[in-house]
């Protein structure tokens, strides 16, 4: 997947979801490879996605690798009077540890992963720019398979001082609570359906008994 295709996919998903989330406002998404964390202008807000999943492809030796620690930085600004908003985005790169080249490579992502990341962005955007309850973040760090120790010396984000490879306790607690709530909801739905089915059988059998008794009584009177 080329960089241009990945960029187009990000913009496509973002514009589609923002049209649903905030149809009265006009938002733009800008890719900015020079974006710096915590360097914000007046009125700008920041959201940092620290554990995105992406695949890297070395342009020198053709080595490919998967990473669950891709860092994505977002800066957001909303002009409430003009109803115009802007998001600047930077996906941090990684170095190939196979050939040791100094060339940083960009990641490619599946569309389903991009959709989840955009959902997280919109959740943060609603909280910080609109003062709304954004809802549950789609972050499931605890359920991810352990891909081994993150090699910070090959990570652009780590080299710029962003400590991100170890999930925070808050994320782990949120993920555990989200998983537990999903299980309880599924169990409650099963119990509800089970008892509903039993009640249908009960009332159906009762109706048959009443019809049978009425029919038997009618025949007794006739005889």
């Amino acid at each position: 997947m080329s960089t241009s295709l990945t960029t187009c996919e990000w913009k496509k998903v973002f514009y589609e979801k923002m049209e649903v989330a905030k149809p009265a406002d006009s938002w733009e998404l800008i890719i900015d490879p020079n974006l710096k964390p915590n360097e914000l202008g007046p009125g700008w807000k920041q959201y940092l996605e620290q554990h995105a999943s992406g695949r890297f492809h070395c342009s020198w030796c053709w080595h490919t690798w998967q990473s669950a620690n891709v860092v994505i930085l977002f800066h957001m600004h909303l002009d409430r009077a003009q109803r115009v908003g802007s998001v600047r985005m930077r996906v941090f790169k990684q170095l190939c540890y196979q050939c040791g080249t100094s060339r940083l490579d960009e990641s490619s992502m599946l569309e389903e992963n991009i959709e989840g990341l955009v959902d997280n962005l919109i959740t943060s955007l609603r909280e910080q720019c609109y003062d709304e309850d954004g809802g549950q973040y789609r972050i499931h760090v605890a359920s991810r398979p352990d891909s081994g120790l993150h090699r910070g010396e090959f990570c652009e984000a780590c080299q710029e001082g962003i400590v991100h490879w170890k999930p925070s306790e808050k994320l782990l607690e949120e993920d555990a609570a989200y998983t537990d709530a999903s299980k309880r909801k599924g169990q409650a739905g099963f119990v509800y359906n089970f008892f509903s089915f039993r009640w249908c059988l009960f009332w159906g059998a009762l109706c048959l008994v009443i019809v049978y008794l009425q029919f038997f009584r009618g025949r007794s009177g006739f005889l």
Side-chain angles (χ1 to χ4, degrees):
M1 183 183 295
S2 65
T3 303
S4 59
L5 181 57
T6 302
T7 300
C8 291
E9 192 62 39
W10 270 99
K11 291 187 175 184
K12 171 180 172 292
V13 174
F14 176 75
Y15 292 141
E16 288 178 353
K17 288 184 176 289
M18 284 305 299
E19 183 65 27
V20 176
K22 294 296 176 183
D25 297 340
S26 177
W27 280 85
E28 65 173 348
L29 177 65
I30 301 172
I31 308 299
D32 185 354
N34 299 314
L35 206 62
K36 299 293 184 181
N38 303 318
E39 294 186 5
L40 301 169
W44 284 81
K45 309 295 183 180
Q46 176 174 294
Y47 170 63
L48 186 67
E49 179 67 61
Q50 303 184 60
H51 301 284
S53 178
R55 177 170 291 277
F56 292 84
H57 179 87
C58 180
S59 56
W60 183 259
C61 71
W62 306 105
H63 173 63
T64 61
W65 67 97
Q66 186 78 19
S67 175
N69 295 287
V70 181
V71 176
I72 308 175
L73 176 65
F74 300 97
H75 285 179
M76 310 165 291
H77 181 269
L78 172 64
D79 186 332
R80 298 201 179 202
Q82 301 294 327
R83 304 191 71 92
V84 174
S86 178
V87 174
R88 307 188 77 87
M89 165 187 167
R90 176 185 178 184
V91 181
F92 286 86
K93 304 175 184 178
Q94 293 186 12
L95 291 169
C96 177
Y97 58 85
Q98 188 76 20
C99 65
T101 180
S102 59
R103 180 170 182 154
L104 288 163
D105 294 293
E106 298 178 342
S107 66
S108 61
M109 297 180 182
L110 298 175
E111 181 178 353
E112 59 188 40
N113 291 341
I114 293 176
E115 289 182 355
L117 294 168
V118 171
D119 285 338
N120 281 352
L121 168 62
I122 294 177
T123 297
S124 179
L125 187 148
R126 294 173 70 112
E127 291 176 349
Q128 297 196 72
C129 295
Y130 290 94
D131 299 322
E132 299 176 355
D133 181 7
Q136 177 72 40
Y137 282 86
R138 293 179 59 180
I139 302 176
H140 308 292
V141 179
S143 62
R144 290 179 179 171
D146 185 8
S147 58
L149 181 64
H150 179 62
R151 305 176 70 171
E153 66 271 23
F154 297 100
C155 174
E156 184 182 31
C158 289
Q159 295 304 310
E160 295 199 15
I162 300 176
V163 180
H164 67 97
W165 65 270
K166 185 177 181 180
S168 66
E169 292 296 327
K170 182 175 183 296
L171 289 182
L172 293 174
E173 290 174 1
E174 287 181 355
D175 180 60
Y178 179 81
T179 303
D180 185 57
S182 299
K183 288 181 179 179
R184 288 201 304 268
K185 183 178 180 180
Q187 292 172 353
F190 172 77
V191 172
Y192 174 78
N193 291 333
F194 175 73
F195 281 104
S196 297
F197 179 70
R198 291 188 61 183
W199 276 110
C200 289
L201 287 178
F202 171 77
W203 288 113
L206 183 62
C207 290
L208 288 176
V209 170
I210 294 174
V211 171
Y212 174 77
L213 290 176
Q214 291 292 339
F215 177 75
F216 182 77
R217 182 180 299 175
R219 289 196 63 184
S220 298
F222 177 75
L223 293 174

